[in-house]
Amino acid sequence: MFNKLYCAAFEQAGVVSRGTLMLDKPLLLDKPLLLLGLLALAPRVLCAQSSAPDTPEPGSVEEIARATTEARFLSPWVAYLPASASVVSPRTFLHRIPGAPGELVNSSTAYGYCRALAGSSARVRLFTIGRSEEGRDIVMLAIADEKGIQELERLRAATAALADPRTTDAAAAERIVASARPIYYFNAALHSDETGSTESVLELAYRLAVSEQPMIRRIRENLVVLINPVSNPDGRDKQVEWFYRFLKGRTDLASLPRQAPPYWSKYAFVDINRDAHQQVHETTKAVFRMFREWHPQVVHDLHESVALLLTWNGTGPINRYVDPLTYAERLELSFHEVQALTGLGMPGVWTWNFGDDFAHLYLDAIATNHNSDGRGYETFGNGTAETLIPEQPGEESTVEWYRPLPPPPQKTFSWSARDNVNYNETAMLAALDESAQQSKSLLRNFYLKALHSWRKGLEQAPHAFLIPDGQGDPTRVAQLVARLLAQGIEVQRAAADLTLREGTFPAGTYVVRLDQPYRNYAVDLLAPQDYPRDAGEPYDDVSWELPAHYHLAAIPTADPRVRAAKLAPLSAAPHPQGAVSGGGPVYLLKDSGQEGLLEARYQLARFRISIAERAFTANGAEYPPGSWILAPQAGLAAALHEAAAKLGLEFTSSASVPEVASHAAPVPRLGLWVPWADTDTIGWARYSLDQRHIPYVYVRDEDIRAGKLRDRYDVVLYGHVDLELAEQIQGIPRAWGPMPFKKTSSTPSLGTPAESDDITGGIGWSGLAELQRFVDAGGLLITLGSGSMLPLEGGMVRGVRRESGGVPRSTQGGGGAAAAASQSAATRTPGAHLRVSFARPDHPIAYGYSARTHVFRQNFTVYSIPRRWLRMAYCTTCLDGPLDPSGVVLEWGDRVGAPLVVSGQAWGAEGLIGHPAILDLRSGAGHVIAFNFNPLHRDLNRGDQRMLWNAIINWRAILAGR
């Protein structure tokens, strides 16, 4: 049978007529050779059509051809816009084609077109699925044939029923499959400088709504397609305004200024795509809300980075808690896309060789973790709407089994915004048509994956995880349970004592039974990770174990009797109420590791609080160091009741102040320095402080340069940044300045959450000197992660040497050179939980912790134990001075000899064990606290946060050397 693919290919090659679709130039460079290649392709590879029965919208063929830089970068599927007498086209609405050179659509215009499309087509409906941090709607289109739109509620109910095999048996599932449709969701514009996806999906939505091509009709009749055109509208609008202010009309890549504004969303930049486990950002919440309401079989996220289109599949290792059917479906779809676009003569389409498949913490993983398929593309975006001659980093120009038709060599071609749209939209159509032809298999597999997960919980150990409530900090326990519930994982609570093989657990213990559809994800979150030592370099974190992040125990049980226990299901996140016992006049708070003490201290800011430096006994109870003592004060009792109820703290009263060494803990004036060159990771610090209602001053580079820091701040916090030392000092190149980031009539979205007349230049050497003056004048500077490079290597404190490593950047997307210092080091800890020991267990930072604990560490620089001086010249008497370990508060490794790794993996452990994890170093009248890890990593490692909170709460004692 003369296959559709052959038809389209022959049409492109000029062998048969193209019907009413005529292209100006041939799309094939070597027609006979390509035809031979096409004859070898499997007959099910799709193409779908000449333009008939569609009639191209007048002018659309010519405009698309002009905006496409080379004929091989265009497919016949998207070479025209189908005309419609009743449905408004994007070309009519925007007064241009999507992907027109030098133009970008903002969120309000994109949403305006979506509303116009839904208002003029019976095949389209519009939904609002969320609202951004800055108050913009997050909208979604649903597209199907008229019958599908009329039956959306039934179709949603069908996929929901297939998601739970406990209420839908195999026979019922097969009946549902017979009349149901897969739901395929596209997510656009998550990373705001990846600008092409919004333009692509707006055109795709129109094409799906109006085209009468057999392929399009097949998609409409067999699927429900969901499209989120602007998933991060705050970032989209900032990026569009930035383009028109700084980039429009500039086509020389070498002379372009910074291509993205310093902020996209309120808190995150790139890390908005590292939020699947936490659901912190409104974008993530909106997509998860969509997932709960629609249960789509595919969540497909659209990104840009490498040439010319990569369809995601990692090289491995793979995550064993993802059902094999998911991997099989993803591979089938990806290779189908490679085959289809390669068959159309489009070079540079490939799969597999990008990242790993171990960590599923990205937005698409909302699907992967919940028995659906998480997918994505990386297309070759310019970061601008202008046409450029790209300098593609990496070596993607060789023929490989996963890349049969490589992209052209770098610097040999131009790439336009329309080229990007052509690739994106053609691949999406290929994926949709394959899904339409495999619709029943997708639905059956969706049911089978849930069935497999549930059956494992019944038939395999562990059968449950038990999370005791009494683990020092009931609020942190409740927070972990809340995270599980937010993921749709069912949690119950023991109504009575529970005796199992592993021991007796008291009433109130939280129980995660594993006979549930999301069993696999529950185990993945609650059990340690073990990244293979012989595997390649991971793309991101290799540990995300929630009990390790929260410093809590979740005990797996192999006892199936747990299913017969008397358990009460939780319908909402728990909230410990706390208590205030007794009538005072003195009140005590036992330090049992509560994470909420920083928030409590600021809530009680008007009251005097002393902190015990030694253990003591009061009223027969033992109180460890770090416990609070509140002497009699007016209004104290009422304030404590409020704090206890809000934060789950338990205050007890005493007749008198205990006799124990203590220090005052006044509330500090806190400044948070956020460099304009990298706002991403410190955005998580801002989020953590905001969530705890901690007042702080946002400190910009220019504020550092202005000096007089000690007059304004007691503590300056400088978080982890993805910058080397020189970048931290010099910031964004001054050659690009002045580069304002502020609200104007033409840039109404800029200037939030902070503004500047010029974001270039960093703090400079003068700013570094001002930080030195701040510390020397009695200030406390706290640095996290790579931010610790600044004081340790910038000369603010002396005696510490970098031994290995660098900034923990990714090698993907051309980041290999930048990441080399970190990822080629012998000692590597790419996002793992590692054991540590307190070298100074009496230090205030140690309050609430045992002498041996663990923290989460990425691939940070390894620093030496301080010396009294470092070598000043090459001579016998000029060598390094003696070791001075007095500044080491916390060191890497377990002093009793337990393995370094708690969860994840580490290479070259011997190069890390015994080295500083936290340093407390004096300079003048002040101190520098340098963390060799980031205790505020993406709002995940909440058990580490108390160390930072301790430093802030006890700032004055640290400065006094207590």
Side-chain angles (χ1 to χ4, degrees):
M1 183 177 183
F2 195 73
N3 186 268
K4 294 175 184 175
L5 171 64
Y6 305 153
C7 178
F10 281 123
E11 288 171 353
Q12 290 181 67
V15 177
V16 297
S17 170
R18 293 180 184 138
T20 57
L21 172 59
M22 299 299 293
L23 301 180
D24 295 337
K25 297 176 283 186
L27 296 184
L28 305 181
L29 300 179
D30 189 336
K31 299 173 187 177
L33 182 59
L34 182 70
L35 290 177
L36 288 174
L38 293 177
L39 291 172
L41 295 177
R44 197 164 54 82
V45 172
L46 58 93
C47 168
Q49 78 259 3
S50 65
S51 62
D54 291 342
T55 299
E57 183 176 308
S60 66
V61 171
E62 294 79 7
E63 290 181 30
I64 291 172
R66 283 195 299 269
T68 301
T69 60
E70 296 186 41
R72 57 180 171 169
F73 297 157
L74 179 63
S75 82
W77 302 353
V78 299
Y80 68 100
L81 287 172
S84 172
S86 57
V87 180
V88 61
S89 77
R91 181 170 170 268
T92 300
F93 190 90
L94 301 175
H95 307 291
R96 62 173 177 84
I97 59 167
E103 302 295 339
L104 288 175
V105 60
N106 64 16
S107 69
S108 62
T109 304
Y111 292 165
Y113 176 66
C114 290
R115 292 186 174 94
L117 180 63
S120 59
S121 173
R123 298 167 177 172
V124 183
R125 279 187 60 187
L126 183 140
F127 298 85
T128 299
I129 60 173
R131 184 173 286 270
S132 74
E133 283 84 355
E134 295 180 10
R136 295 174 176 86
D137 284 344
I138 302 174
V139 308
M140 180 184 75
L141 295 175
I143 305 171
D145 62 1
E146 289 84 347
K147 180 181 179 183
I149 293 297
Q150 293 167 4
E151 296 184 348
L152 280 181
E153 293 306 314
R154 180 186 70 79
L155 295 173
R156 289 204 297 186
T159 54
L162 293 175
D164 194 344
R166 298 171 299 181
T167 56
T168 303
D169 62 23
E174 196 57 34
R175 290 193 295 273
I176 291 171
V177 167
S179 61
R181 302 185 187 189
I183 298 174
Y184 199 118
Y185 168 88
F186 286 109
N187 193 79
L190 180 63
H191 284 162
S192 302
D193 65 341
E194 300 166 8
T195 56
S197 58
T198 295
E199 306 267 331
S200 302
V201 297
L202 292 179
E203 181 170 302
L204 174 70
Y206 173 73
R207 193 177 305 279
L208 292 176
V210 305
S211 175
E212 294 303 327
Q213 291 287 350
M215 175 177 70
I216 304 297
R217 293 180 59 183
R218 184 162 55 244
I219 292 169
R220 280 199 304 261
E221 292 166 3
N222 290 279
L223 301 176
V224 174
V225 180
L226 306 180
I227 295 176
N228 181 341
V230 190
S231 62
N232 179 7
D234 296 347
R236 178 71 182 189
D237 288 354
K238 288 181 176 65
Q239 184 68 40
V240 170
E241 292 169 15
W242 190 267
F243 166 77
Y244 284 108
R245 172 66 177 80
F246 293 107
L247 302 174
K248 185 171 173 60
R250 306 183 69 165
T251 59
D252 178 17
L253 181 63
S255 64
L256 288 182
R258 178 178 167 122
Q259 292 182 256
Y263 276 100
W264 293 337
S265 60
K266 181 177 181 179
Y267 293 113
F269 202 65
V270 172
D271 266 7
I272 199 171
N273 195 29
R274 307 291 189 275
D275 192 36
H277 298 323
Q278 311 95 294
Q279 296 185 46
V280 159
H281 304 291
E282 293 302 323
T283 289
T284 317
K285 293 175 184 176
V287 176
F288 199 86
R289 188 177 298 116
M290 173 281 303
F291 190 91
R292 286 196 304 267
E293 294 176 356
W294 292 81
H295 296 89
Q297 282 58 65
V298 182
V299 169
H300 192 143
D301 201 11
L302 302 172
H303 287 266
E304 298 175 8
S305 67
V306 293
L308 291 175
L309 185 144
L310 166 76
T311 169
W312 290 352
N313 273 295
T315 58
I318 64 173
N319 187 313
R320 62 189 175 120
Y321 296 114
V322 175
D323 194 286
L325 284 172
T326 292
Y327 289 119
E329 287 176 330
R330 284 174 42 196
L331 285 166
E332 180 179 0
L333 283 167
S334 291
F335 279 107
H336 177 78
E337 289 154 344
V338 173
Q339 193 178 34
L341 272 69
T342 300
L344 292 169
M346 302 177 79
V349 181
W350 52 293
T351 188
W352 185 73
N353 193 32
F354 187 89
D356 57 61
D357 228 329
F358 189 72
H360 293 286
L361 46 85
Y362 314 100
L363 187 77
D364 71 293
I366 291 173
T368 307
N369 294 329
H370 294 87
N371 301 325
S372 293
D373 296 341
R375 309 192 64 232
Y377 293 156
E378 303 282 343
T379 56
F380 198 38
N382 284 334
T384 173
E386 301 294 356
T387 301
L388 304 178
I389 299 175
E391 297 182 13
Q392 166 62 20
E395 298 180 357
E396 282 88 26
S397 60
T398 59
V399 174
E400 306 288 347
W401 63 266
Y402 53 85
R403 187 173 54 230
L405 184 59
Q410 60 178 338
K411 301 183 182 180
T412 66
F413 65 98
S414 296
W415 187 257
S416 70
R418 182 64 207 187
D419 295 335
N420 194 8
V421 170
N422 295 339
Y423 270 73
N424 245 333
E425 192 178 358
T426 302
M428 287 188 282
L429 288 170
L432 289 174
D433 192 43
E434 174 72 359
S435 299
Q437 295 189 59
Q438 300 294 320
S439 62
K440 302 309 178 186
S441 294
L442 276 173
L443 290 168
R444 289 191 185 96
N445 287 347
F446 179 65
Y447 174 77
L448 285 174
K449 285 183 275 189
L451 179 67
H452 295 164
S453 189
W454 170 53
R455 294 299 305 179
K456 282 184 177 179
L458 290 171
E459 298 165 0
Q460 301 179 16
H463 296 291
F465 282 87
L466 299 109
I467 307 172
D469 185 28
Q471 297 193 58
D473 186 1
T475 298
R476 198 161 69 245
V477 175
Q479 291 170 349
L480 186 152
V481 170
R483 284 251 155 109
L484 296 173
L485 291 171
Q487 293 291 349
I489 294 170
E490 297 166 2
V491 184
Q492 299 171 304
R493 202 164 191 184
D497 289 354
L498 184 59
T499 300
L500 301 169
R501 294 177 192 170
E502 292 77 15
T504 298
F505 300 86
T509 296
Y510 296 100
V511 181
V512 182
R513 281 177 46 177
L514 296 177
D515 52 332
Q516 57 175 297
Y518 300 147
R519 173 264 180 198
N520 287 345
Y521 187 32
V523 177
D524 195 33
L525 289 176
L526 294 172
Q529 278 71 53
D530 184 14
Y531 189 87
R533 289 185 64 84
D534 59 352
E537 190 67 35
Y539 189 82
D540 207 276
D541 294 346
V542 295
S543 178
W544 48 90
E545 181 200 343
L546 289 185
H549 271 314
Y550 281 71
H551 286 223
L552 298 171
I555 299 99
T557 177
D559 194 337
R561 291 179 298 168
V562 69
R563 293 196 293 271
K566 188 176 181 181
L567 305 173
L570 292 180
S571 58
H575 177 72
Q577 291 299 309
V580 179
S581 59
V586 176
Y587 291 91
L588 307 175
L589 174 64
K590 178 184 292 188
D591 187 348
S592 58
Q594 304 98 313
E595 188 272 332
L597 292 191
L598 182 67
E599 183 173 356
R601 185 63 196 97
Y602 276 92
Q603 186 172 336
L604 300 169
R606 70 182 189 275
F607 298 102
R608 301 183 309 277
I609 295 177
S610 295
I611 296 181
E613 297 175 354
R614 301 287 183 268
F616 66 92
T617 302
N619 302 322
E622 299 292 332
Y623 290 80
S627 297
W628 288 13
I629 303 169
L630 297 95
Q633 298 165 72
L636 177 60
L640 292 182
H641 277 88
E642 183 180 348
K646 180 180 179 182
L647 302 173
L649 301 174
E650 295 188 357
F651 295 89
T652 59
S653 65
S654 176
S656 61
V657 174
E659 294 185 5
V660 62
S662 63
H663 58 259
V667 170
R669 298 170 299 164
L670 178 63
L672 177 65
W673 171 29
V674 185
W676 288 115
D678 183 9
T679 65
D680 195 13
T681 356
I682 298 183
W684 293 100
R686 291 176 44 243
Y687 173 82
S688 295
L689 293 173
D690 287 348
Q691 290 298 301
R692 290 154 183 80
H693 310 96
I694 308 303
Y696 64 91
V697 176
Y698 185 113
V699 183
R700 307 166 301 166
D701 293 340
E702 49 265 56
D703 300 322
I704 298 288
R705 296 194 304 263
K708 298 183 179 181
L709 300 176
R710 189 66 187 92
D711 294 344
R712 289 176 282 166
Y713 314 114
D714 301 307
V715 177
V716 171
L717 174 61
Y718 178 41
H720 167 59
V721 287
D722 193 20
L723 303 169
E724 288 283 357
L725 177 62
E727 298 162 344
Q728 295 184 39
I729 297 171
Q730 302 298 344
I732 298 170
R734 282 199 179 277
W736 293 344
M739 183 173 276
F741 180 71
K742 59 191 308 182
K743 184 175 182 176
T744 68
S745 58
S746 60
T747 58
S749 301
L750 304 187
T752 180
E755 69 172 18
S756 176
D757 291 323
D758 185 8
I759 64 173
T760 69
I763 61 170
W765 295 108
S766 64
L768 184 62
E770 294 298 340
L771 285 171
Q772 182 80 66
R773 292 188 184 98
F774 165 76
V775 175
D776 289 349
L780 179 63
L781 175 64
I782 304 174
T783 58
L784 311 179
S786 293
S788 292
M789 285 183 182
L790 191 73
L792 298 182
E793 301 183 39
M796 294 181 65
V797 293
R798 306 295 295 274
V800 180
R801 176 180 288 121
R802 181 198 288 211
E803 292 198 349
S804 68
V807 175
R809 292 165 166 162
S810 171
T811 59
Q812 302 296 338
S822 171
Q823 299 192 344
S824 63
T827 297
R828 305 191 311 282
T829 59
H833 290 95
L834 308 177
R835 287 185 172 87
V836 289
S837 300
F838 277 101
R840 293 178 57 184
D842 59 342
H843 195 284
I845 289 176
Y847 292 160
Y849 290 92
S850 62
R852 297 157 50 231
T853 182
H854 68 268
V855 296
F856 182 84
R857 187 183 196 271
Q858 294 175 285
N859 263 345
F860 295 118
T861 298
V862 177
Y863 288 103
S864 67
I865 296 172
R867 292 181 179 271
R868 294 193 182 278
W869 64 83
L870 296 181
R871 189 181 76 175
M872 292 167 281
Y874 182 67
C875 69
T876 303
T877 59
C878 303
L879 302 181
D880 289 347
L883 292 173
D884 180 11
S886 62
V888 180
V889 177
L890 186 73
E891 66 184 31
W892 295 108
D894 184 278
R895 287 193 166 185
V896 177
L900 177 65
V901 175
V902 173
S903 177
Q905 190 53 269
W907 290 264
E910 64 280 359
L912 183 64
I913 293 172
H915 287 70
I918 299 178
L919 288 166
D920 177 4
L921 301 174
R922 177 178 290 279
S923 178
H927 279 239
V928 171
I929 302 291
F931 283 73
N932 192 229
F933 60 97
N934 180 13
L936 300 178
H937 178 69
R938 300 174 181 165
D939 194 41
L940 280 167
N941 52 335
R942 292 193 177 184
D944 300 349
Q945 292 177 354
R946 254 300 296 273
M947 296 184 193
L948 174 58
W949 301 162
N950 282 342
I952 296 173
I953 293 170
N954 297 280
W955 66 279
R956 181 169 288 178
I958 291 172
L959 290 173
R962 304 295 284 267

